[in-house]
Amino acid sequence: MSQKKPEKLIDENDIRSDGRKLNEMRQVKIEVGILGNADGSAYIEMGKNRILAAVYGPREIHPRHQALPDRAALRCRYHMAPFSVQERKSPAPSRREHELSKVIRESLEPSIFTEYYPRTAIDLFIEVLQADGGTRCAGITVASLALADAGIPMRDLVSACAAGKVDGRLVLDLNDVEDKGGEADMPLAYMPTMNAVTLLQMDGMLTGEEFEQVLNMALEGCKQINQLQKEALRAKYKVVKEAEAEKEEEGEKEAAE
Ligand code: ADP
């Protein structure tokens, strides 16, 4: 949400405008498998960001000319709800949303065994319900979980987090005011098990040395996000397992009667 830039974004005690330390990530809450009608879904809260991801597929592709002979076509739509920012946003897709749909697709595609499903589509919808900076990263993180929840074979989870420079200091996970009022923002997406970066963008200016430091900070952020993703997946499958065990128990009881 666009807010007026405070005069100082970091105070003399190195505390940021939202009370965080320089290398502290916003509070993250993740839930997997929350939609009944999609093949896979997940929801993330990262600070004030609230984002939902839904996946369909692999399924028959329409229009057919989009079919790829050797792999599934990953199609991605990143969309911001009209109420996701302070000023009402037009629901029609903007240039920014088109661009983000493309970069998010490209950051997730290397993680999927698309070659297992030639001539099909995997459709991914990312709905930003509330935005506060860093929605592409939170969108990638939650979309990767929705893909896993859909049971799509994957090489790794993709975990994303940004780092950058604000008031001359290097910081992790910029919020909207920091993004707008800071000197640099570098979103990064990373597959920890494969040790591969799938997205690296940068807005603003950094020295060579700062670039390396910011990159390492963002990588550490991605690793933290990865832990939270795994916990969210485990939590979902714990519930599924318990429900299955209950069903089995009931079945056994009925058989015994
Ligand atoms: P990201 O969300 O990945 O950081 P940007 O750097 O393009 O992507 O956007 C930064 C932030 O700017 C968004 O997270 C959102 O809070 C805000 N923003 C984006 N588009 C709009 C818009 N149309 N109106 C108001 N704020 C917006």
Side-chain angles (χ1 to χ4, degrees), residues 120-151:
T120 66
I122 298 172
D123 289 318
L124 167 61
F125 297 91
I126 297 173
E127 286 294 318
V128 179
L129 307 176
Q130 186 168 283
D132 187 35
T135 59
R136 84 194 60 200
C137 288
I140 290 166
T141 296
V142 73
S144 185
L145 286 172
L147 287 162
D149 186 44

PDB file of all heavy atoms in Angstrom, residues 120-151:
ATOM      1  N   THR A 120       0.224 -30.920 -22.573  1.00  0.00           N
ATOM      2  CA  THR A 120      -0.799 -30.557 -21.571  1.00  0.00           C
ATOM      3  C   THR A 120      -0.512 -29.131 -21.048  1.00  0.00           C
ATOM      4  O   THR A 120       0.503 -28.533 -21.401  1.00  0.00           O
ATOM      5  CB  THR A 120      -0.774 -31.508 -20.358  1.00  0.00           C
ATOM      6  OG1 THR A 120       0.470 -31.327 -19.669  1.00  0.00           O
ATOM      7  CG2 THR A 120      -0.924 -32.960 -20.766  1.00  0.00           C
ATOM      8  N   ALA A 121      -1.433 -28.656 -20.195  1.00  0.00           N
ATOM      9  CA  ALA A 121      -1.240 -27.344 -19.572  1.00  0.00           C
ATOM     10  C   ALA A 121      -1.202 -27.495 -18.059  1.00  0.00           C
ATOM     11  O   ALA A 121      -1.925 -28.311 -17.481  1.00  0.00           O
ATOM     12  CB  ALA A 121      -2.389 -26.419 -19.951  1.00  0.00           C
ATOM     13  N   ILE A 122      -0.339 -26.701 -17.439  1.00  0.00           N
ATOM     14  CA  ILE A 122      -0.395 -26.523 -15.986  1.00  0.00           C
ATOM     15  C   ILE A 122      -0.732 -25.045 -15.790  1.00  0.00           C
ATOM     16  O   ILE A 122       0.046 -24.175 -16.204  1.00  0.00           O
ATOM     17  CB  ILE A 122       0.944 -26.882 -15.313  1.00  0.00           C
ATOM     18  CG1 ILE A 122       1.290 -28.359 -15.556  1.00  0.00           C
ATOM     19  CG2 ILE A 122       0.891 -26.578 -13.816  1.00  0.00           C
ATOM     20  CD1 ILE A 122       2.697 -28.761 -15.099  1.00  0.00           C
ATOM     21  N   ASP A 123      -1.896 -24.782 -15.233  1.00  0.00           N
ATOM     22  CA  ASP A 123      -2.349 -23.391 -15.090  1.00  0.00           C
ATOM     23  C   ASP A 123      -2.210 -22.934 -13.650  1.00  0.00           C
ATOM     24  O   ASP A 123      -2.692 -23.598 -12.728  1.00  0.00           O
ATOM     25  CB  ASP A 123      -3.815 -23.270 -15.533  1.00  0.00           C
ATOM     26  CG  ASP A 123      -3.942 -23.422 -17.034  1.00  0.00           C
ATOM     27  OD1 ASP A 123      -3.098 -22.847 -17.750  1.00  0.00           O
ATOM     28  OD2 ASP A 123      -4.861 -24.127 -17.499  1.00  0.00           O
ATOM     29  N   LEU A 124      -1.562 -21.793 -13.505  1.00  0.00           N
ATOM     30  CA  LEU A 124      -1.262 -21.274 -12.178  1.00  0.00           C
ATOM     31  C   LEU A 124      -1.862 -19.873 -12.041  1.00  0.00           C
ATOM     32  O   LEU A 124      -1.631 -19.015 -12.891  1.00  0.00           O
ATOM     33  CB  LEU A 124       0.270 -21.223 -12.037  1.00  0.00           C
ATOM     34  CG  LEU A 124       0.875 -20.461 -10.885  1.00  0.00           C
ATOM     35  CD1 LEU A 124       0.433 -21.040  -9.554  1.00  0.00           C
ATOM     36  CD2 LEU A 124       2.393 -20.525 -10.977  1.00  0.00           C
ATOM     37  N   PHE A 125      -2.653 -19.685 -10.997  1.00  0.00           N
ATOM     38  CA  PHE A 125      -3.278 -18.377 -10.751  1.00  0.00           C
ATOM     39  C   PHE A 125      -2.765 -17.829  -9.425  1.00  0.00           C
ATOM     40  O   PHE A 125      -2.861 -18.502  -8.398  1.00  0.00           O
ATOM     41  CB  PHE A 125      -4.805 -18.524 -10.697  1.00  0.00           C
ATOM     42  CG  PHE A 125      -5.379 -19.001 -12.002  1.00  0.00           C
ATOM     43  CD1 PHE A 125      -5.539 -20.364 -12.251  1.00  0.00           C
ATOM     44  CD2 PHE A 125      -5.722 -18.101 -13.001  1.00  0.00           C
ATOM     45  CE1 PHE A 125      -6.033 -20.817 -13.468  1.00  0.00           C
ATOM     46  CE2 PHE A 125      -6.223 -18.535 -14.213  1.00  0.00           C
ATOM     47  CZ  PHE A 125      -6.384 -19.900 -14.451  1.00  0.00           C
ATOM     48  N   ILE A 126      -2.250 -16.609  -9.478  1.00  0.00           N
ATOM     49  CA  ILE A 126      -1.775 -15.954  -8.253  1.00  0.00           C
ATOM     50  C   ILE A 126      -2.631 -14.713  -8.048  1.00  0.00           C
ATOM     51  O   ILE A 126      -2.651 -13.820  -8.894  1.00  0.00           O
ATOM     52  CB  ILE A 126      -0.286 -15.571  -8.381  1.00  0.00           C
ATOM     53  CG1 ILE A 126       0.547 -16.845  -8.557  1.00  0.00           C
ATOM     54  CG2 ILE A 126       0.187 -14.768  -7.173  1.00  0.00           C
ATOM     55  CD1 ILE A 126       2.005 -16.592  -8.863  1.00  0.00           C
ATOM     56  N   GLU A 127      -3.364 -14.702  -6.951  1.00  0.00           N
ATOM     57  CA  GLU A 127      -4.254 -13.566  -6.661  1.00  0.00           C
ATOM     58  C   GLU A 127      -3.702 -12.795  -5.465  1.00  0.00           C
ATOM     59  O   GLU A 127      -3.643 -13.330  -4.349  1.00  0.00           O
ATOM     60  CB  GLU A 127      -5.664 -14.067  -6.314  1.00  0.00           C
ATOM     61  CG  GLU A 127      -6.455 -14.571  -7.503  1.00  0.00           C
ATOM     62  CD  GLU A 127      -6.794 -13.460  -8.502  1.00  0.00           C
ATOM     63  OE1 GLU A 127      -7.159 -12.353  -8.074  1.00  0.00           O
ATOM     64  OE2 GLU A 127      -6.665 -13.716  -9.712  1.00  0.00           O
ATOM     65  N   VAL A 128      -3.317 -11.559  -5.705  1.00  0.00           N
ATOM     66  CA  VAL A 128      -2.830 -10.716  -4.610  1.00  0.00           C
ATOM     67  C   VAL A 128      -4.049 -10.025  -4.002  1.00  0.00           C
ATOM     68  O   VAL A 128      -4.703  -9.217  -4.643  1.00  0.00           O
ATOM     69  CB  VAL A 128      -1.799  -9.684  -5.117  1.00  0.00           C
ATOM     70  CG1 VAL A 128      -1.313  -8.805  -3.973  1.00  0.00           C
ATOM     71  CG2 VAL A 128      -0.637 -10.387  -5.800  1.00  0.00           C
ATOM     72  N   LEU A 129      -4.357 -10.380  -2.750  1.00  0.00           N
ATOM     73  CA  LEU A 129      -5.530  -9.808  -2.080  1.00  0.00           C
ATOM     74  C   LEU A 129      -5.153  -8.515  -1.374  1.00  0.00           C
ATOM     75  O   LEU A 129      -5.969  -7.605  -1.246  1.00  0.00           O
ATOM     76  CB  LEU A 129      -6.093 -10.809  -1.064  1.00  0.00           C
ATOM     77  CG  LEU A 129      -6.382 -12.206  -1.609  1.00  0.00           C
ATOM     78  CD1 LEU A 129      -6.844 -13.119  -0.495  1.00  0.00           C
ATOM     79  CD2 LEU A 129      -7.414 -12.137  -2.716  1.00  0.00           C
ATOM     80  N   GLN A 130      -3.909  -8.452  -0.895  1.00  0.00           N
ATOM     81  CA  GLN A 130      -3.400  -7.234  -0.257  1.00  0.00           C
ATOM     82  C   GLN A 130      -1.896  -7.163  -0.537  1.00  0.00           C
ATOM     83  O   GLN A 130      -1.208  -8.174  -0.389  1.00  0.00           O
ATOM     84  CB  GLN A 130      -3.673  -7.294   1.249  1.00  0.00           C
ATOM     85  CG  GLN A 130      -3.321  -6.021   1.977  1.00  0.00           C
ATOM     86  CD  GLN A 130      -3.866  -6.026   3.389  1.00  0.00           C
ATOM     87  OE1 GLN A 130      -5.052  -5.814   3.621  1.00  0.00           O
ATOM     88  NE2 GLN A 130      -2.999  -6.289   4.347  1.00  0.00           N
ATOM     89  N   ALA A 131      -1.436  -5.978  -0.976  1.00  0.00           N
ATOM     90  CA  ALA A 131      -0.034  -5.851  -1.392  1.00  0.00           C
ATOM     91  C   ALA A 131       0.697  -4.854  -0.515  1.00  0.00           C
ATOM     92  O   ALA A 131       0.167  -3.799  -0.180  1.00  0.00           O
ATOM     93  CB  ALA A 131       0.033  -5.393  -2.837  1.00  0.00           C
ATOM     94  N   ASP A 132       1.944  -5.221  -0.146  1.00  0.00           N
ATOM     95  CA  ASP A 132       2.763  -4.293   0.617  1.00  0.00           C
ATOM     96  C   ASP A 132       4.248  -4.475   0.295  1.00  0.00           C
ATOM     97  O   ASP A 132       5.083  -4.588   1.186  1.00  0.00           O
ATOM     98  CB  ASP A 132       2.517  -4.491   2.122  1.00  0.00           C
ATOM     99  CG  ASP A 132       3.228  -3.419   2.943  1.00  0.00           C
ATOM    100  OD1 ASP A 132       3.311  -2.275   2.477  1.00  0.00           O
ATOM    101  OD2 ASP A 132       3.731  -3.743   4.037  1.00  0.00           O
ATOM    102  N   GLY A 133       4.568  -4.580  -1.004  1.00  0.00           N
ATOM    103  CA  GLY A 133       5.966  -4.731  -1.406  1.00  0.00           C
ATOM    104  C   GLY A 133       6.415  -6.173  -1.344  1.00  0.00           C
ATOM    105  O   GLY A 133       6.119  -6.885  -0.386  1.00  0.00           O
ATOM    106  N   GLY A 134       7.116  -6.610  -2.388  1.00  0.00           N
ATOM    107  CA  GLY A 134       7.638  -7.983  -2.402  1.00  0.00           C
ATOM    108  C   GLY A 134       6.598  -9.023  -2.779  1.00  0.00           C
ATOM    109  O   GLY A 134       6.713 -10.184  -2.385  1.00  0.00           O
ATOM    110  N   THR A 135       5.600  -8.622  -3.562  1.00  0.00           N
ATOM    111  CA  THR A 135       4.549  -9.597  -3.888  1.00  0.00           C
ATOM    112  C   THR A 135       5.028 -10.631  -4.901  1.00  0.00           C
ATOM    113  O   THR A 135       4.503 -11.734  -4.934  1.00  0.00           O
ATOM    114  CB  THR A 135       3.277  -8.918  -4.422  1.00  0.00           C
ATOM    115  OG1 THR A 135       3.617  -8.177  -5.600  1.00  0.00           O
ATOM    116  CG2 THR A 135       2.643  -8.011  -3.397  1.00  0.00           C
ATOM    117  N   ARG A 136       6.044 -10.263  -5.732  1.00  0.00           N
ATOM    118  CA  ARG A 136       6.504 -11.290  -6.693  1.00  0.00           C
ATOM    119  C   ARG A 136       7.170 -12.427  -5.938  1.00  0.00           C
ATOM    120  O   ARG A 136       6.980 -13.596  -6.267  1.00  0.00           O
ATOM    121  CB  ARG A 136       7.385 -10.698  -7.789  1.00  0.00           C
ATOM    122  CG  ARG A 136       8.845 -10.528  -7.470  1.00  0.00           C
ATOM    123  CD  ARG A 136       9.537  -9.667  -8.456  1.00  0.00           C
ATOM    124  NE  ARG A 136       8.936  -8.337  -8.497  1.00  0.00           N
ATOM    125  CZ  ARG A 136       9.065  -7.479  -9.493  1.00  0.00           C
ATOM    126  NH1 ARG A 136       9.752  -7.811 -10.552  1.00  0.00           N
ATOM    127  NH2 ARG A 136       8.510  -6.287  -9.448  1.00  0.00           N
ATOM    128  N   CYS A 137       7.959 -12.081  -4.895  1.00  0.00           N
ATOM    129  CA  CYS A 137       8.645 -13.118  -4.126  1.00  0.00           C
ATOM    130  C   CYS A 137       7.635 -13.975  -3.355  1.00  0.00           C
ATOM    131  O   CYS A 137       7.668 -15.203  -3.425  1.00  0.00           O
ATOM    132  CB  CYS A 137       9.646 -12.488  -3.171  1.00  0.00           C
ATOM    133  SG  CYS A 137      11.087 -11.832  -4.027  1.00  0.00           S
ATOM    134  N   ALA A 138       6.729 -13.302  -2.642  1.00  0.00           N
ATOM    135  CA  ALA A 138       5.729 -14.062  -1.880  1.00  0.00           C
ATOM    136  C   ALA A 138       4.862 -14.881  -2.846  1.00  0.00           C
ATOM    137  O   ALA A 138       4.469 -16.006  -2.523  1.00  0.00           O
ATOM    138  CB  ALA A 138       4.881 -13.109  -1.053  1.00  0.00           C
ATOM    139  N   GLY A 139       4.604 -14.330  -4.039  1.00  0.00           N
ATOM    140  CA  GLY A 139       3.803 -15.036  -5.052  1.00  0.00           C
ATOM    141  C   GLY A 139       4.502 -16.303  -5.525  1.00  0.00           C
ATOM    142  O   GLY A 139       3.875 -17.357  -5.680  1.00  0.00           O
ATOM    143  N   ILE A 140       5.816 -16.224  -5.740  1.00  0.00           N
ATOM    144  CA  ILE A 140       6.590 -17.405  -6.182  1.00  0.00           C
ATOM    145  C   ILE A 140       6.582 -18.467  -5.080  1.00  0.00           C
ATOM    146  O   ILE A 140       6.351 -19.651  -5.332  1.00  0.00           O
ATOM    147  CB  ILE A 140       8.041 -16.984  -6.537  1.00  0.00           C
ATOM    148  CG1 ILE A 140       8.043 -16.140  -7.812  1.00  0.00           C
ATOM    149  CG2 ILE A 140       8.942 -18.200  -6.682  1.00  0.00           C
ATOM    150  CD1 ILE A 140       9.353 -15.398  -8.080  1.00  0.00           C
ATOM    151  N   THR A 141       6.822 -18.023  -3.846  1.00  0.00           N
ATOM    152  CA  THR A 141       6.875 -18.948  -2.711  1.00  0.00           C
ATOM    153  C   THR A 141       5.553 -19.714  -2.570  1.00  0.00           C
ATOM    154  O   THR A 141       5.542 -20.944  -2.415  1.00  0.00           O
ATOM    155  CB  THR A 141       7.147 -18.143  -1.412  1.00  0.00           C
ATOM    156  OG1 THR A 141       8.431 -17.543  -1.528  1.00  0.00           O
ATOM    157  CG2 THR A 141       7.080 -19.008  -0.185  1.00  0.00           C
ATOM    158  N   VAL A 142       4.452 -18.995  -2.648  1.00  0.00           N
ATOM    159  CA  VAL A 142       3.143 -19.632  -2.431  1.00  0.00           C
ATOM    160  C   VAL A 142       2.747 -20.470  -3.654  1.00  0.00           C
ATOM    161  O   VAL A 142       2.135 -21.538  -3.517  1.00  0.00           O
ATOM    162  CB  VAL A 142       2.079 -18.573  -2.045  1.00  0.00           C
ATOM    163  CG1 VAL A 142       1.660 -17.709  -3.202  1.00  0.00           C
ATOM    164  CG2 VAL A 142       0.865 -19.217  -1.394  1.00  0.00           C
ATOM    165  N   ALA A 143       3.141 -20.023  -4.850  1.00  0.00           N
ATOM    166  CA  ALA A 143       2.808 -20.773  -6.067  1.00  0.00           C
ATOM    167  C   ALA A 143       3.542 -22.108  -6.089  1.00  0.00           C
ATOM    168  O   ALA A 143       2.983 -23.131  -6.510  1.00  0.00           O
ATOM    169  CB  ALA A 143       3.174 -19.945  -7.296  1.00  0.00           C
ATOM    170  N   SER A 144       4.793 -22.107  -5.627  1.00  0.00           N
ATOM    171  CA  SER A 144       5.561 -23.348  -5.612  1.00  0.00           C
ATOM    172  C   SER A 144       4.877 -24.380  -4.714  1.00  0.00           C
ATOM    173  O   SER A 144       4.819 -25.578  -5.041  1.00  0.00           O
ATOM    174  CB  SER A 144       6.982 -23.051  -5.118  1.00  0.00           C
ATOM    175  OG  SER A 144       7.772 -24.193  -5.190  1.00  0.00           O
ATOM    176  N   LEU A 145       4.307 -23.908  -3.604  1.00  0.00           N
ATOM    177  CA  LEU A 145       3.582 -24.806  -2.700  1.00  0.00           C
ATOM    178  C   LEU A 145       2.286 -25.315  -3.334  1.00  0.00           C
ATOM    179  O   LEU A 145       1.919 -26.477  -3.163  1.00  0.00           O
ATOM    180  CB  LEU A 145       3.269 -24.089  -1.392  1.00  0.00           C
ATOM    181  CG  LEU A 145       4.467 -23.900  -0.473  1.00  0.00           C
ATOM    182  CD1 LEU A 145       4.102 -23.008   0.691  1.00  0.00           C
ATOM    183  CD2 LEU A 145       4.983 -25.249   0.020  1.00  0.00           C
ATOM    184  N   ALA A 146       1.602 -24.442  -4.067  1.00  0.00           N
ATOM    185  CA  ALA A 146       0.361 -24.862  -4.720  1.00  0.00           C
ATOM    186  C   ALA A 146       0.662 -25.936  -5.780  1.00  0.00           C
ATOM    187  O   ALA A 146      -0.101 -26.898  -5.944  1.00  0.00           O
ATOM    188  CB  ALA A 146      -0.337 -23.661  -5.349  1.00  0.00           C
ATOM    189  N   LEU A 147       1.814 -25.795  -6.475  1.00  0.00           N
ATOM    190  CA  LEU A 147       2.218 -26.803  -7.468  1.00  0.00           C
ATOM    191  C   LEU A 147       2.488 -28.144  -6.778  1.00  0.00           C
ATOM    192  O   LEU A 147       2.065 -29.198  -7.247  1.00  0.00           O
ATOM    193  CB  LEU A 147       3.473 -26.338  -8.214  1.00  0.00           C
ATOM    194  CG  LEU A 147       3.279 -25.201  -9.224  1.00  0.00           C
ATOM    195  CD1 LEU A 147       4.617 -24.549  -9.565  1.00  0.00           C
ATOM    196  CD2 LEU A 147       2.591 -25.700 -10.488  1.00  0.00           C
ATOM    197  N   ALA A 148       3.189 -28.073  -5.640  1.00  0.00           N
ATOM    198  CA  ALA A 148       3.472 -29.301  -4.879  1.00  0.00           C
ATOM    199  C   ALA A 148       2.169 -29.917  -4.389  1.00  0.00           C
ATOM    200  O   ALA A 148       1.972 -31.142  -4.452  1.00  0.00           O
ATOM    201  CB  ALA A 148       4.390 -28.985  -3.702  1.00  0.00           C
ATOM    202  N   ASP A 149       1.246 -29.068  -3.935  1.00  0.00           N
ATOM    203  CA  ASP A 149      -0.040 -29.551  -3.418  1.00  0.00           C
ATOM    204  C   ASP A 149      -0.862 -30.222  -4.524  1.00  0.00           C
ATOM    205  O   ASP A 149      -1.648 -31.137  -4.251  1.00  0.00           O
ATOM    206  CB  ASP A 149      -0.813 -28.372  -2.817  1.00  0.00           C
ATOM    207  CG  ASP A 149      -2.095 -28.811  -2.125  1.00  0.00           C
ATOM    208  OD1 ASP A 149      -2.044 -29.824  -1.387  1.00  0.00           O
ATOM    209  OD2 ASP A 149      -3.139 -28.166  -2.327  1.00  0.00           O
ATOM    210  N   ALA A 150      -0.662 -29.775  -5.773  1.00  0.00           N
ATOM    211  CA  ALA A 150      -1.383 -30.397  -6.898  1.00  0.00           C
ATOM    212  C   ALA A 150      -0.766 -31.751  -7.261  1.00  0.00           C
ATOM    213  O   ALA A 150      -1.265 -32.440  -8.156  1.00  0.00           O
ATOM    214  CB  ALA A 150      -1.348 -29.453  -8.105  1.00  0.00           C
ATOM    215  N   GLY A 151       0.323 -32.115  -6.605  1.00  0.00           N
ATOM    216  CA  GLY A 151       0.954 -33.409  -6.856  1.00  0.00           C
ATOM    217  C   GLY A 151       1.793 -33.412  -8.122  1.00  0.00           C
ATOM    218  O   GLY A 151       2.085 -34.471  -8.682  1.00  0.00           O
TER     219      GLY A 151
END
